[in-house]
Amino acid sequence: SSHALPEETWTSNVVAMASAWLDVDAECERMRRDSEAALMEEVGAAMHCGATIVVVPPPPAGAWACASYARALTSLVHAHMALTIWAL
């Protein structure tokens, strides 16, 4: 439960992880749309719980085209000004 930790612990010590399967630059349009929607939902849930740091999966190795990835992360940062994103 989120009540087990004080609020200052959530905002300074808890790191949320987005799903590893997310691929917002997938060649398949449906996968791309589903990934972006899931990313937005997962980050929103993390922020709702008080986490301000979210680890997102990096673009696939060797991916030269990551415009959707960059756009999605930019959108998240603008929507959640207190958000810190780590791509690991």
Side-chain angles (χ1 to χ4, degrees), residues 16 42-54 80-84:
E42 290 179 7
V43 169
M47 295 294 292
H48 177 75
C49 289
T52 58
I53 302 170
V54 178
H80 305 285
M81 298 304 270
L83 176 66
T84 300

Side-chain angles (χ1 to χ4, degrees), residues 69-80:
Y69 183 80
R71 183 184 45 73
L73 296 185
T74 300
S75 176
L76 286 171
V77 170
H78 286 294
H80 305 285

Side-chain angles (χ1 to χ4, degrees), residues 4-80:
L5 296 173
E7 182 178 348
E8 60 273 1
T9 301
W10 275 104
T11 58
S12 62
N13 297 325
V14 174
V15 176
M17 304 254 331
S19 297
W21 65 266
L22 298 174
D23 184 2
V24 296
D25 279 304
E27 289 184 27
C28 172
E29 183 179 350
R30 182 174 180 183
M31 175 65 161
R32 191 170 50 245
R33 280 193 324 249
D34 289 349
S35 292
E36 188 167 346
L39 177 62
M40 300 301 175
E41 186 174 327
E42 290 179 7
V43 169
M47 295 294 292
H48 177 75
C49 289
T52 58
I53 302 170
V54 178
V55 176
V56 297
W64 61 271
C66 55
S68 293
Y69 183 80
R71 183 184 45 73
L73 296 185
T74 300
S75 176
L76 286 171
V77 170
H78 286 294
H80 305 285

